[in-house]
Amino acid sequence: MKIVILAALLPLLANSAALAQTNQPPADAKSASSNVPGVQFPKIDSGRCAYFRIVAPNAMNVSVSLPGGRGTKGDDGVWTVTTSPLAPGFHYYTITVDGVTVSDPASESYFGTGKMSSGIEVPSPGEDFYLPKDVPHSDIRAHSYSAKSTGLIRRCFVYTPPDYDTNLTARYPVLYLQHGMGEDARGWSTQGRVGFILDNLIAEGKARPMLVVMDDGGITPGAMGGPRSGGGPAFWDKFTQVLIEDIIPMIDATYRTIPDREHRALAGLSLGGTQTWQITQSHLDTFAHIGSFSAPFGLPEVPGGFNGLLGDPAGFAKQVNVLFVSVGSAEGGLNSGSGKFHKALEQAGIKHVYYESPGTAHEWQTWRRSLHEFAPLLFQTAQDGNQ
Amino acid sequence: MKIVILAALLPLLANSAALAQTNQPPADAKSASSNVPGVQFPKIDSGRCAYFRIVAPNAMNVSVSLPGGRGTKGDDGVWTVTTSPLAPGFHYYTITVDGVTVSDPASESYFGTGKMSSGIEVPSPGEDFYLPKDVPHSDIRAHSYSAKSTGLIRRCFVYTPPDYDTNLTARYPVLYLQHGMGEDARGWSTQGRVGFILDNLIAEGKARPMLVVMDDGGITPGAMGGPRSGGGPAFWDKFTQVLIEDIIPMIDATYRTIPDREHRALAGLSLGGTQTWQITQSHLDTFAHIGSFSAPFGLPEVPGGFNGLLGDPAGFAKQVNVLFVSVGSAEGGLNSGSGKFHKALEQAGIKHVYYESPGTAHEWQTWRRSLHEFAPLLFQTAQDGNQ
């Protein structure tokens, strides 16, 4: 039995032995933190270039779907890939072997771009707001529930702040936080690092302790981006129904929330940002805080949006405590849809916060930073004695 | 922007289109529940054969690491793989393309065999104890904490029963449950379905509400099976220290436990079963309930084990409330190390429970069933007024 079990690990060890014979990347290159335990490659150097080693003596073509990711075959059958400098933060990638696109077993996998993609975490020197620190930690809870509007058992993830289990009479405001297209409810807690971001902000006294609910924006469990969901109006309407009729009542019944609009926020990234606009424009009775990170389309008209409220700065400010719009500078910045929306809001005198993530594109580092800017603004003006 | 985002999903849709032109598996074949959303293949028929379709016109060789998994190339460049009948339950697998072993982006990935492996869930007709049902649901909480004995921030998973958040004065017994070699703390909650198994048992009144703590058996965060941990005595001792000095005190301080030996169990599968023997033999002051599922080695000597207590049936029964030993019939059954240990215990008159999972080998269906048999035995005789 001993031999059988150890044999399962042999391919990994064989890889390591083969790799030792190849040319090495610069001495400052370190194994990526997104590698599975004990695996050396991919490595990343101080210039943010990633180095891959793939043992494939019989393959004719090997590449990695990152900038500059074309493979070169060595005499020993090991393919070497050295990328161009990568943006700091998290990037999905896949490996293509002789025309077949697959995931890399050496890296953690994440549900993104509609499939289980490999991911690589590129360090961002001087930026540690999303890294684990020795502060009081939250729980991120996977919770299953029956959703009447779909007849299915769904699963959501709920961030409960560090004091939730000791401060048993306290009730908390809730941020509903949506993922992007081709992702699911897992995105924010894994790729997005919501736990470390909120734990660190709360420990510094910069954000109010809150719950964060992360559910699937698709109508089937976990579905988003696949043929079953699509992006049409029927899809939008169904998710709105699931959120309003199933998710929010379930959360209010299961966790110690403050169940009113003043203590409820809705935000999302990319398609989740578009959904946020769709839903909040007709549900200001439910949400008083709104965040949109890199929404690609569906932004409200100014001044017609929100049933004309965007033409009434005082009326809008009375109803919406926080309106937050963000985008990455490398995905258009002020020239993107979000940037133009910000300028229109500014011109119309609508109170809002605009944030542009420097040097990042339509990617998770933009959205981590957006959450880090957005969360401290939330639930600060609500008058209540519960916190 | 719209076009850029949709383009990320095109490879998937192109796959679907290509697949429609190939020969189809039997009409009763259904998409595996372990597929990512919206993906048709792999499919499984009523005879438990799995059907894979891999678009690889340029590849020379494609196979799937399941019985009978050799690929056949069609004229359209689509490789077809039809496996032999598979055992019910969960199986790790990988795809090999021209000699390169990779993960399948069409299936969910799981950390197992020391890497991110693809997994396929084969239905088991008439067996639904591990499937989601419309019963009150638990939370499975991911919790980070600083471990003094290693100087690292670690992450564990904690099952809290359905009434944990409403029955706020109740305190609960705790089962510490370990994964196998090449796996990590995620194994039991994903591959193992611990949440649905316990929720269903508790709803039926068959198991007492309890906490289940699932942590990494390796000493580095998430590490097990890689070069950094290994399997030697230093490794065992370090994990024992982490469990006794860090994990248990942290759990008792963070959750509403009943912090005594009568309300604490340790169990594990495969290498986690071996660790269970290692730890409990010298820590009966900490644990009064013991479970070992398919432990491959390290089983105690009879009668010398437990410091000679296995030679003293009355003394052993006084100290150990539950001793549970299980193994799959297809991994040796009574002829396995666990089976022989059971026979030796029987001969020595040591009270214990032996369970053999019919028709399954060294695999997750054996361990799901083992948990389903083991959990109802736990914490039933402890005298206390807390539940």
Side-chain angles (χ1 to χ4, degrees):
Chain A
M1 185 54 62
K2 188 173 186 174
I3 293 162
V4 171
I5 292 176
L6 291 174
L9 298 171
L10 279 181
L12 199 63
L13 303 175
N15 267 9
S16 305
L19 298 179
Q21 300 160 13
T22 64
N23 291 332
Q24 293 299 313
D28 68 356
K30 292 187 177 66
S31 300
S33 65
S34 41
N35 291 5
V36 297
V39 173
Q40 296 296 307
F41 286 86
K43 289 187 172 186
I44 302 170
D45 70 15
S46 59
R48 299 202 308 268
C49 295
Y51 298 80
F52 292 80
R53 294 282 183 273
I54 299 157
V55 182
N58 302 322
M60 293 175 291
N61 211 308
V62 173
S63 65
V64 170
S65 66
L66 289 168
R70 185 184 295 266
T72 308
K73 191 177 186 175
D75 293 339
D76 53 1
V78 178
W79 291 74
T80 308
V81 172
T82 304
T83 71
S84 315
L86 304 173
F90 176 91
H91 306 281
Y92 294 117
Y93 76 94
T94 48
I95 294 177
T96 300
V97 179
D98 290 348
V100 188
T101 296
V102 288
S103 303
D104 184 353
S107 289
E108 287 285 337
S109 302
Y110 307 83
F111 188 66
T113 68
K115 59 183 183 298
M116 289 306 290
S117 291
S118 300
I120 187 166
E121 184 71 41
V122 179
S124 183
E127 196 173 22
D128 67 355
F129 70 89
Y130 59 99
L131 301 182
K133 298 181 187 175
D134 190 6
V135 297
H137 287 291
S138 55
D139 285 343
I140 296 200
R141 309 176 176 205
H143 183 74
S144 298
Y145 63 99
S146 300
K148 291 194 189 76
S149 60
T150 66
L152 296 169
I153 294 178
R154 293 170 59 95
R155 179 181 64 165
C156 65
F157 292 84
V158 181
Y159 169 96
T160 55
D163 69 344
Y164 188 87
D165 282 298
T166 49
N167 200 357
L168 291 177
T169 57
R171 302 188 71 89
Y172 298 82
V174 187
L175 163 61
Y176 292 82
L177 190 59
Q178 292 304 124
H179 57 83
M181 192 168 192
E183 297 173 336
D184 70 10
R186 293 173 286 187
W188 269 108
S189 61
T190 52
Q191 296 95 303
R193 305 273 186 105
V194 72
F196 296 132
I197 294 172
L198 267 290
D199 288 355
N200 292 338
L201 282 172
I202 291 170
E204 295 172 65
K206 289 184 180 166
R208 175 172 172 175
M210 66 183 82
L211 304 181
V212 184
V213 176
M214 298 153 279
D215 208 312
D216 279 313
I219 57 169
T220 52
M224 186 116 188
R228 280 183 289 177
S229 55
F235 166 73
W236 306 117
D237 290 349
K238 193 68 185 176
F239 177 64
T240 303
Q241 187 190 357
V242 173
L243 178 62
I244 301 293
E245 296 179 15
D246 277 308
I247 300 173
I248 293 176
M250 179 279 292
I251 292 294
D252 284 336
T254 310
Y255 300 95
R256 299 194 314 277
T257 65
I258 308 173
D260 61 31
R261 66 179 295 283
E262 295 286 319
H263 298 86
R264 211 179 278 127
L266 180 60
L269 73 90
S270 191
L271 186 62
T274 297
Q275 290 179 303
T276 296
W277 294 127
Q278 162 83 14
I279 294 167
T280 56
Q281 286 194 70
S282 55
H283 289 90
L284 284 185
D285 55 334
T286 306
F287 304 98
H289 307 71
I290 301 166
S292 167
F293 314 157
S294 304
F297 42 86
L299 293 105
E301 298 291 328
V302 180
F306 286 91
N307 295 317
L309 211 55
L310 287 185
D312 174 10
F316 188 82
K318 201 172 166 187
Q319 287 225 47
V320 178
N321 295 17
V322 174
L323 178 64
F324 180 92
V325 180
S326 73
V327 71
S329 74
E331 57 172 329
L334 281 173
N335 295 318
S336 69
S338 295
K340 289 174 184 163
F341 179 64
H342 150 62
K343 285 186 284 188
L345 289 175
E346 205 166 45
Q347 205 155 24
I350 297 289
K351 192 184 160 197
H352 70 287
V353 174
Y354 173 70
Y355 170 70
E356 202 170 290
S357 168
T360 61
H362 202 73
E363 56 190 324
W364 274 101
Q365 198 72 352
T366 300
W367 306 321
R368 291 169 174 171
R369 290 174 177 167
S370 294
L371 177 63
H372 181 245
E373 298 292 321
F374 178 57
L377 308 176
L378 293 176
F379 316 121
Q380 296 296 348
T381 56
Q383 299 299 314
D384 62 78
N386 283 301
Q387 176 47 38
Chain B
M1 186 54 61
K2 188 174 187 173
I3 291 163
V4 171
I5 292 175
L6 291 173
L9 297 171
L10 279 180
L12 199 63
L13 302 174
N15 267 8
S16 304
L19 297 179
Q21 300 160 15
T22 63
N23 291 331
Q24 292 300 312
D28 68 356
K30 293 187 176 65
S31 299
S33 65
S34 41
N35 292 4
V36 297
V39 173
Q40 296 295 309
F41 286 86
K43 288 188 171 185
I44 302 169
D45 70 16
S46 58
R48 299 202 308 268
C49 295
Y51 298 82
F52 292 80
R53 295 281 183 273
I54 299 157
V55 182
N58 302 322
M60 293 175 292
N61 211 308
V62 173
S63 64
V64 170
S65 66
L66 290 167
R70 185 184 295 266
T72 308
K73 189 175 184 175
D75 293 339
D76 52 2
V78 177
W79 291 73
T80 308
V81 172
T82 304
T83 71
S84 315
L86 303 173
F90 175 91
H91 306 281
Y92 293 117
Y93 76 93
T94 48
I95 294 177
T96 301
V97 179
D98 290 349
V100 188
T101 296
V102 287
S103 303
D104 184 354
S107 289
E108 286 286 338
S109 302
Y110 306 84
F111 188 67
T113 69
K115 60 183 183 297
M116 289 308 288
S117 291
S118 301
I120 186 166
E121 184 71 42
V122 179
S124 184
E127 196 173 22
D128 66 355
F129 70 89
Y130 58 98
L131 302 182
K133 298 180 188 176
D134 189 7
V135 297
H137 287 291
S138 56
D139 284 345
I140 297 200
R141 309 176 176 204
H143 182 74
S144 298
Y145 63 99
S146 301
K148 291 195 190 75
S149 60
T150 66
L152 296 169
I153 293 178
R154 294 171 58 95
R155 179 181 63 166
C156 66
F157 292 84
V158 182
Y159 169 95
T160 55
D163 69 343
Y164 188 86
D165 282 300
T166 49
N167 200 357
L168 290 177
T169 58
R171 301 188 72 89
Y172 297 83
V174 187
L175 163 61
Y176 292 83
L177 189 60
Q178 291 304 123
H179 58 84
M181 191 168 193
E183 297 172 337
D184 70 8
R186 293 172 285 187
W188 270 108
S189 60
T190 52
Q191 297 94 305
R193 305 274 186 105
V194 71
F196 296 132
I197 294 172
L198 267 290
D199 288 354
N200 292 338
L201 282 172
I202 291 170
E204 294 172 66
K206 289 184 179 166
R208 177 173 170 174
M210 65 184 81
L211 304 180
V212 183
V213 175
M214 297 154 280
D215 208 311
D216 279 314
I219 57 169
T220 51
M224 186 118 188
R228 280 181 289 175
S229 55
F235 166 74
W236 305 119
D237 290 350
K238 193 67 183 176
F239 177 64
T240 304
Q241 186 190 357
V242 173
L243 178 63
I244 301 292
E245 296 180 14
D246 276 309
I247 300 173
I248 293 176
M250 179 278 291
I251 291 293
D252 284 337
T254 310
Y255 300 95
R256 301 194 313 277
T257 65
I258 309 172
D260 62 31
R261 65 180 297 281
E262 296 286 319
H263 299 87
R264 211 180 278 128
L266 179 60
L269 73 90
S270 191
L271 186 62
T274 297
Q275 290 179 302
T276 297
W277 295 126
Q278 161 83 12
I279 295 167
T280 56
Q281 287 194 71
S282 57
H283 289 91
L284 283 184
D285 56 333
T286 306
F287 304 98
H289 308 71
I290 301 166
S292 166
F293 314 157
S294 305
F297 43 86
L299 294 104
E301 298 290 328
V302 181
F306 287 90
N307 295 318
L309 211 55
L310 287 184
D312 173 8
F316 188 83
K318 202 173 165 185
Q319 289 225 47
V320 178
N321 296 17
V322 173
L323 179 64
F324 179 92
V325 181
S326 73
V327 71
S329 72
E331 58 172 327
L334 283 172
N335 294 317
S336 69
S338 295
K340 288 173 184 163
F341 179 63
H342 150 62
K343 285 186 285 190
L345 290 174
E346 203 166 44
Q347 204 154 26
I350 297 288
K351 191 183 161 196
H352 71 287
V353 173
Y354 174 70
Y355 169 71
E356 202 171 290
S357 168
T360 61
H362 201 74
E363 56 190 325
W364 274 100
Q365 197 74 349
T366 300
W367 306 321
R368 290 170 175 172
R369 289 174 178 167
S370 294
L371 177 64
H372 182 245
E373 298 293 319
F374 178 57
L377 308 175
L378 293 176
F379 317 120
Q380 296 296 346
T381 57
Q383 299 297 315
D384 63 77
N386 283 301
Q387 178 46 42

